[in-house]
Structures are given as structure tokens and as C-alpha cells.
């Protein structure tokens, strides 16, 4: 049965830090992968409004009013008017091993509330079979889950129905527990709220844009796979960067570059150190588990390597945007910038915590850079075209410079610094345009948004002539309405939306450069493309005002946090440039 497809900007997220569910302002749950972020979805109407599963809630004259989370938790309240009365639905996923799943609580119904639950395995391709346990409980055979409700359940054409009569409250649960009661549900709610309060203590922020930063912190904490500490790039697959184009990718993996940048941003605000340690532990554990002397581009949430093979799913896609695909062909790429960003993140962590942990892992990565920096790579945008990408070289050089002071063997430290110097020399001789700007890659006359990161990372000074030439070209050719596009070799980036993470990088650059007015204009424009709960997708369609790309994009949230902190420090007369410790 067909349901209305949600727009990306209308999505909200509930999470148990192993998986998550996405729901819209109508309280329709339209994406859910049980047990793990990257398992097969049983609700997928976000990608096909006919074949995809969903959980809808309907009533006569039901009108959305507002929604909000309970503090910084992942417990969501959505309120509606129904006639002259109101209805509030509480949605959450318990942080409790024996009750993993989705919980819904309904306040007293002003009129009959109808729930329809269409469970379709394998992203919507397979209809489910049900075994009736009682009038209010059933087992979902292929998924191995259970559905329990406060009112009698019926099944019609593969869809679970139950109604909450006027004047009565209600509840429902979908998950692994074979039995559950209303009292247990309410106890789970209290326990879950308490555990989110404990998670909140791990990282915090005070200052300008305080609420917005805290929204982003929640988004990041929702996307953590708790057993390993890995943070996924986004909760979804195949949400398009171009509507009806072919730039649709699966982002439900732990990207090493993204994870490093996220950790770098969080380390610069208030943290206990636990997040930072888990990041390095993930990197080390992944390399050890897979017998590697360097990192892969990304890993599954359990630290296993991902095959580059792609499976195309015959779904209609978001707004008819195909292909819908599972897997990512970039799995076997060589991305030098990811290695460099790991070292940069580790140096920040060591400097903040005073603890040099997992040093063997860091040494391996530094040595790998020294042996491989002369190779062409796939770059920050994972291009198929191998080139000497300037950003890859720059981040590799800076990583070596920042990590060398922690090396006790002076001969090794000197070797790392010598390689960093050679990389810088390569950039100065090969990676500048005729106007003196930093080129996308050696021999190119184009520039890229990633160069804005050179300044907060301390690769180059904000007022360096080459940096100024780069910024001038970015403003001239890649800026629209204070938002910025990246440069792509294999696709005309003018045809995609503004790149929100890179726009935050530009704001951070201007904070350090001393133009706080422009910094704030960019940040405010970026915020125009966050939704009512503070979530960002990857890109903004400036023509339509809609969001584009996978959701929520953790890369954007971390870049936003970093830029805001840069703005905060600049207001106080400080800078957020990453510098090496003194040897």
C-alpha cells in the first residue's frame, strides 16, 4: 500500500546507538534497519513509497503542531491538533540490550487513531510472514522481531493494523523482546533518558549558537555504533546529491577521514576524553582485525573491511532518483588525506589529554605516509581519477609535522619531518595555479573548497599569498548566497547543491582571518538549511530550498561545530589553529 514519501528536510531521528529510525512530521517512520545501522531495512518508504515498509499514524483532521526532543536525549515528542484537542506521540529506542527496537507512546486520543505498519524485509523487496501470539502480540518471522500493542492487532494484506479509540491512551513496541508491558515501556523510557543524560556529559559546549551546537552534538551521538565507538557518515543510503541524477551512495559506514575530522572538532570543545580514546581505539582495532599496516577508506561499524562490490536494489528511489544501491565502490581506494587526518586528530587528542595511546598504530600510519605520499591518490572527494591532489599532500604533511614531537626516537621523528618538508616542496613546485592559488591537483588551474581547511589545520597562514589567491578564486567561482560548492573532476559541481561542510570550513577560515562579519553571514546561511531539530543533510539546493544527500550528514555537523568554536574563539581574540607541541 502506497504511503506519502517524506522530504529529507522533514526527517527526525531516534537512535539506540546501534541503529536508528527516521520519521517525518506526520510521525510516519519511513526508514529503519534493525540491530545495526547497516543491516537490511524493514521500513524503507523513504526510498520507495509503494514497495517500502512504513509505520503511519492517522486520524481525521490531524494537523502537525510541533516536535522536540527531551533535552539532549534521543526521545522525541511530536504534537498534533485533532479537532479542538491535542495528541502527543513519544518515540524512542531503548538503550537496553534486551529491548532493542522502537517504542511509541500515545497520549489520550481525541478521536480514533489508526496505526498501519507495513513491514517489508530486504529494503522492501520481501513481504513478511506473521505468527499470531495473542490478540495484541505477533511475531515477524523473516525479521525475527515481535510487535506488541496496547490494543488488538489485525493483519490485512500484509499490513498490521491497530486502533486507539477516542478517550484512550496507547502504546506499541517493535523489536526483539517477545513480551513487554506498558509498565516496562515506561520504565525503559526513564532508563533511556537517564542513559542519554550520562552520554551528554561526554561532550558539551557553551557560547555563541549554543542550542544549535548542542543539536549537532546530539546528531553525532545518535550516529555512534556504541559497541566499537565508530561513527557513521550518515544513517541512509542513496539519498541523491542531484535529484534524478546518478550521484547516489551508501553512507552507512565509518569513514576514516570523516571520523578524524569529527573527532578533531569535538576535541576542541568540552569533552571528558572518552570520545577521543574510542576514536583511536576504533582505528587501531580495525587495522589489527584486518591485518593492515595502514587504514582503509572506511569500515563497517564492527571494524570489518567493506567489499567494493555494489548491489543495486530495484526501488524507485527518493523522488524517483535511481540507483538505490547498497555498498560503496570507494572501499578499495587510496585516500592519502584520510591517513593525514588520522595523525592530525591523534596529535590534538594527545595534546589535550596528555596521554599518548595506541602509539604503535600511529607510528604505522606515519611510516605508511612516508612510503606512499609520492603516489597519486583518489582525493578527498573519492574521485575515480588518480591525481596528485593538493589537499591529500597538505594534510599528510601536516599530520607528520604534528605527530613528530611525540616520537621518542629522534631519528624517526627527523625522518617524518623530512618527508613533511619534501611534501611541502612538492606542493610549492607542482600544485599552484598560474595565479598562485592552491590547485585542486598538480597541473590544474582550478581550486577546491578543501583548501579552506589548510588554515585551521595550520598548514598555511590565513594571509599567505597563495592562500589569499585561493580564497579569491573560491569566492569568484564557487560561491552563491554565502554558500560554497566543491570542485569535482568527474561531475560538474554547479549541477549539485551547495556543500554545507565546506561552507562551514570557509566560515572557520574567515574567523581566523579576522572577518567575523562574513564568518557569521556564512554560518547563518548554513543554518537556513538545518531543519527544526537542527539536522543537516549533505547539500543544499539553492534553487528549491530543499535538502540533498544522505541524512544526517555527520561530516556537516562536525564542521559546523568546529566553525562555531572558531567564531567563539575569534570573538575572544583567540585562534583555533592547530599547532605542534614543543619538543
Amino acid at each position: 500500500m502506497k504511503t506519502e514519501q517524506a522530504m529529507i528536510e522533514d526527517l527526525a531521528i531516534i537512535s539506540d546507538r546501534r541503529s536508528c529510525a527516521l520519521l517525518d512530521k506526520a510521525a510516519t517512520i519511513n526508514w529503519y534497519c534493525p540491530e545495526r545501522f547497516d543491516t537490511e531495512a524493514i521500513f524503507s518508504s523513504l526510498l520507495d513509497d509503494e514497495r517500502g515498509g512504513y509505520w503511519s499514524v492517522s486520524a481525521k483532521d490531524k494537523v502537525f503542531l510541533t516536535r522536540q526532543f527531551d533535552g539532549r536525549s534521543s526521545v522525541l515528542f511530536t504534537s498534533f491538533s485533532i479537532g479542538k484537542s491535542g495528541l502527543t506521540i513519544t518515540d524512542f529506542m531503548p538503550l537496553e540490550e534486551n529491548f532493542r527496537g522502537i517504542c511509541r507512546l500515545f497520549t489520550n486520543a481525541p478521536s480514533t487513531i489508526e496505526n498501519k505498519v507495513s513491514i517489508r524485509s530486504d529494503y522492501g523487496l520481501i513481504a513478511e510472514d506473521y505468527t499470531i501470539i495473542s490478540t495484541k502480540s505477533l511475531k515477524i518471522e523473516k525479521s525475527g522481531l515481535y510487535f506488541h500493542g496496547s490494543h488488538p492487532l489485525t493483519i490485512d494484506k500484509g499490513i498490521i493494523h491497530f486502533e486507539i479509540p477516542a478517550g484512550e491512551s496507547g502504546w506499541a513496541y517493535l523489536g526483539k523482546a517477545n513480551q513487554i508491558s506498558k509498565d516496562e515501556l515506561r520504565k525503559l523510557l526513564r532508563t533511556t533518558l537517564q542513559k542519554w543524560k550520562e552520554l551528554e556529559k561526554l561532550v558539551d559546549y557553551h557560547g555563541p549558537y549554543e542550542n544549535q551546537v548542542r543539536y549537532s552534538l546530539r546528531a553525532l551521538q545518535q550516529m555512534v555504533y556504541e559497541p566499537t565507538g565508530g561513527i557513521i557518515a550518515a544513517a541512509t543510503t542513496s539519498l541523491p546529491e542531484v535529484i534524478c541524477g546518478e550521484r547516489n551512495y551508501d553512507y552507512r559506514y565509518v569513514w576514516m577521514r570523516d571520523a578524524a575530522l569529527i573527532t578533531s572538532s569535538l576535541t576542541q570543545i568540552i569533552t571528558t576524553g572518552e570520545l577521543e580514546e574510542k576514536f583511536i581505539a576504533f582505528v587501531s582495532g580495525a587495522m589489527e582485525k584486518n591485518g593492515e599496516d595502514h587504514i582503509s577508506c572506511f569500515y563497517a561499524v564492527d571494524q570489518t573491511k567493506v567489499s567494493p562490490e555494489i548491489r543495486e536494489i530495484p526501488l524507485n528511489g527518493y523522488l524517483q532518483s535511481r540507483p538505490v544501491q547498497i555498498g560503496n565502490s570507494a572501499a578499495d581506494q587510496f585516500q592519502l588525506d584520510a591517513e593525514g587526518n588520522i595523525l592530525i586528530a591523534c596529535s590534538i587528542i594527545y595534546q589535550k589529554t596528555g596521554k599518548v595511546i595506541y602509539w604503535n598504530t600511529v607510528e604505522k600510519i606515519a611510516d605508511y605516509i612516508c612510503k606512499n605520499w609520492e603516489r597519486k591518490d583518489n582525493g578527498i572527494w573519492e574521485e575515480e581519477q588518480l591525481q596528485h591532489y593538493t589537499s591529500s599532500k597538505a594534510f599528510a604533511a601536516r599530520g607528520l609535522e604534528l605527530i613528530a614531537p611525540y616520537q621518542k626516537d629522534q631519528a624517526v621523528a627527523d625522518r617524518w619531518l623530512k618527508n613533511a618538508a619534501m611534501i611541502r616542496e612538492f606542493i610549492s613546485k607542482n600544485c599552484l595555479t598560474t595565479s598562485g592559488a592552491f590547485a585542486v591537483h598538480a597541473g590544474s588551474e582550478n581550486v577546491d573548497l578543501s583548501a579552506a581547511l589548510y588554515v585551521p589545520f595550520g598548514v598555511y597562514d590565513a594571509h599567505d599569498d597563495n592562500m589569499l589567491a585561493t580564497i579569491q578564486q573560491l569566492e569568484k567561482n564557487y560561491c552563491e548566497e554565502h554558500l560554497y560548492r566543491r570542485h569535482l573532476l568527474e561531475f560538474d559541481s554547479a549541477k549539485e547543491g551547495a556543500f554545507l561542510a565546506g561552507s562551514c570550513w570557509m566560515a572557520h577560515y574567515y574567523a581566523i582571518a579576522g572577518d567575523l562579519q562574513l564568518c557569521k553571514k556564512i554560518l547563518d546561511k548554513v543554518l537556513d538549511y538545518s531543519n527544526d531539530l537542527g539536522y543537516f543533510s549533505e547539500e543544499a539546493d539553492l534553487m528549491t530550498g530543499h535538502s540533498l544527500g544522505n541524512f544526517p550528514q555527520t561530516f556537516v555537523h562536525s564542521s559546523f561545530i568546529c566553525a562555531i568554536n572558531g567564531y567563539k574563539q575569534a570573538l575572544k581574540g583567540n585562534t583555533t589553529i592547530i599547532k605542534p607541541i614543543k619538543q
Side-chain angles (χ1 to χ4, degrees):
M1 183 180 291
K2 187 172 182 177
T3 186
E4 186 173 352
Q5 197 170 55
M7 298 298 289
I8 295 171
E9 59 267 22
D10 288 337
L11 297 173
I13 296 162
I14 54 175
S15 167
D16 62 5
R17 289 169 56 85
R18 281 170 172 76
S19 184
C20 67
L22 276 61
L23 58 157
D24 60 23
K25 290 181 177 179
T28 298
I29 301 176
N30 44 53
W31 183 258
Y32 176 51
C33 304
E35 299 297 323
R36 252 173 59 162
F37 292 109
D38 55 357
T39 54
E40 297 176 354
I42 61 171
F43 294 153
S44 57
S45 60
L46 185 62
L47 294 178
D48 194 313
D49 54 3
E50 293 186 14
R51 302 186 69 177
Y54 61 88
W55 182 344
S56 66
V57 179
S58 59
K60 185 178 180 181
D61 300 325
K62 169 174 160 275
V63 178
F64 171 79
L65 292 176
T66 187
R67 58 184 178 176
Q68 63 182 34
F69 286 100
D70 189 321
R72 267 183 54 193
S73 78
S74 188
V75 176
L76 180 67
F77 307 123
T78 308
S79 297
F80 303 91
S81 67
I82 299 178
K84 295 182 179 180
S85 300
L87 171 74
T88 296
I89 303 174
T90 301
D91 287 301
F92 70 99
M93 295 176 68
L95 297 181
E96 176 61 52
E97 181 62 36
N98 294 327
F99 292 93
R100 298 289 174 194
I102 298 172
C103 300
R104 312 196 87 167
L105 293 165
F106 301 80
T107 57
N108 285 352
S111 63
T112 300
I113 307 298
E114 182 180 10
N115 285 261
K116 293 181 181 179
V117 185
S118 172
I119 297 175
R120 305 269 306 179
S121 296
D122 196 14
Y123 300 96
L125 301 183
I126 300 175
E128 266 292 358
D129 296 322
Y130 305 100
T131 298
I132 304 298
I133 298 173
S134 71
T135 57
K136 299 179 183 179
S137 296
L138 55 83
K139 184 177 181 181
I140 305 156
E141 293 295 342
K142 292 185 178 66
S143 303
L145 303 176
Y146 295 85
F147 193 92
H148 309 288
S150 56
H151 293 77
L153 309 174
T154 60
I155 301 172
D156 180 30
K157 297 179 181 178
I159 297 177
I160 304 167
H161 295 257
F162 75 96
E163 293 183 348
I164 303 172
E168 296 185 19
S169 61
W171 60 269
Y173 166 85
L174 169 65
K176 62 188 293 185
N178 59 11
Q179 58 182 8
I180 194 170
S181 66
K182 181 179 180 179
D183 287 342
E184 285 175 309
L185 212 61
R186 293 197 174 277
K187 182 180 178 182
L188 285 171
L189 176 57
R190 292 193 296 271
T191 301
T192 298
L193 284 169
Q194 181 56 43
K195 289 184 176 180
W196 275 105
K197 285 187 179 295
E198 294 168 6
L199 289 167
E200 182 181 330
K201 296 175 184 176
L202 298 179
V203 57
D204 203 3
Y205 169 82
H206 302 287
Y209 299 95
E210 190 165 300
N211 287 336
Q212 293 89 338
V213 170
R214 288 179 174 179
Y215 295 157
S216 286
L217 291 175
R218 172 175 39 240
L220 293 175
Q221 289 186 307
Q222 286 179 316
M223 294 297 101
V224 170
Y225 183 67
E226 194 163 50
T228 62
I231 183 165
I232 59 171
T236 57
T237 180
S238 304
L239 294 185
E241 296 173 8
V242 179
I243 299 298
C244 293
E246 296 182 354
R247 295 185 62 78
N248 308 338
Y249 305 106
D250 191 346
Y251 275 11
R252 297 171 300 158
Y253 304 109
V254 183
W255 255 263
M256 288 292 90
R257 173 199 311 107
D258 295 18
L261 288 168
I262 290 166
T263 305
S264 296
S265 69
L266 295 182
T267 304
Q268 294 176 60
I269 58 176
I270 304 169
T271 64
T272 63
E274 184 175 328
L275 295 172
E276 293 91 332
E277 184 167 345
K278 283 187 174 181
F279 162 72
I280 307 181
F282 184 95
V283 175
S284 181
M287 287 173 59
E288 183 177 352
K289 179 176 286 190
N290 296 287
E292 299 171 306
D293 63 350
H294 65 102
I295 58 169
S296 295
C297 302
F298 55 85
Y299 297 93
V301 293
D302 62 358
Q303 300 172 311
T304 57
K305 290 190 70 170
V306 179
S307 168
E309 294 182 6
I310 289 179
R311 176 194 175 198
E312 288 199 13
I313 306 291
L315 299 180
N316 289 329
Y318 174 81
L319 299 183
Q320 302 297 308
S321 299
R322 300 187 182 96
V324 173
Q325 62 183 42
I326 309 304
N328 197 299
S329 60
D332 59 356
Q333 286 188 352
F334 169 47
Q335 297 174 8
L336 183 66
D337 68 292
E339 312 275 353
N341 272 293
I342 294 287
L343 297 188
I344 292 169
C346 289
S347 73
I348 300 170
I349 293 168
Y350 292 166
Q351 189 165 348
K352 179 175 181 175
T353 64
K355 296 191 298 182
V356 179
I357 56 176
Y358 297 102
W359 181 247
N360 287 341
T361 296
V362 172
E363 280 189 311
K364 288 179 181 178
I365 294 172
D367 286 339
Y368 182 82
I369 289 175
C370 291
K371 294 174 184 176
N372 290 275
W373 72 262
E374 294 179 278
R375 291 170 54 193
K376 294 181 178 181
D377 78 319
N378 298 94
I380 191 170
W381 307 130
E382 298 166 354
E383 304 270 16
E384 292 183 10
Q385 189 178 136
L386 290 168
Q387 290 287 352
H388 289 295
Y389 291 99
T390 308
S391 60
S392 296
K393 309 293 187 191
F395 298 147
R398 194 55 175 163
L400 291 172
E401 291 168 350
L402 291 171
I403 211 66
Y406 297 95
Q407 174 57 261
K408 295 180 179 179
D409 187 328
Q410 191 57 49
V412 175
D414 290 343
R415 175 165 54 82
W416 291 352
L417 291 172
K418 180 180 179 181
N419 274 271
M422 288 191 292
I423 298 172
R424 283 185 175 274
E425 184 179 7
F426 180 92
I427 293 172
S428 65
K429 289 183 177 180
N430 301 281
C431 298
L432 297 176
T433 68
T434 53
S435 65
F438 291 110
V440 174
H441 60 77
S444 173
E445 284 297 313
N446 297 303
V447 300
D448 180 59
L449 206 48
S450 55
L453 284 173
Y454 298 169
V455 172
F457 283 172
V459 188
Y460 298 102
D461 184 80
H463 302 289
D464 174 273
D465 288 343
N466 302 126
M467 198 69 229
L468 291 174
T470 308
I471 295 298
Q472 183 180 29
Q473 199 164 330
L474 286 169
E475 290 290 350
K476 179 181 178 181
N477 299 326
Y478 298 87
C479 181
E480 183 178 351
E481 299 178 22
H482 296 305
L483 293 177
Y484 299 81
R485 292 183 292 105
R486 56 186 173 172
H487 185 87
L488 300 172
L489 302 189
E490 291 148 2
F491 183 78
D492 181 1
S493 65
K495 296 179 181 179
E496 67 173 11
F499 195 72
L500 294 178
S503 297
C504 292
W505 301 343
M506 287 294 286
H508 197 175
Y509 165 81
Y510 281 116
I512 295 171
D515 193 338
L516 295 184
Q517 184 177 9
L518 183 50
C519 171
K520 189 175 188 304
K521 284 182 180 179
I522 297 169
L523 291 172
D524 289 342
K525 193 64 180 179
V526 168
L527 280 170
D528 284 346
Y529 288 91
S530 67
N531 71 8
D532 56 314
L533 296 170
Y535 290 110
F536 293 108
S537 64
E538 185 173 8
E539 298 180 2
D541 188 331
L542 302 185
M543 295 290 291
T544 66
H546 292 308
S547 296
L548 295 169
N550 283 300
F551 181 94
Q553 183 64 243
T554 54
F555 199 23
V556 180
H557 283 284
S558 65
S559 299
F560 175 72
I561 291 169
C562 212
I564 294 294
N565 187 55
Y567 176 69
K568 171 186 173 180
Q569 298 303 325
L571 286 172
K572 294 161 59 176
N574 302 325
T575 64
T576 48
I577 297 171
I578 300 169
K579 299 177 180 179
I581 63 166
K582 294 181 180 180
Q583 288 181 287

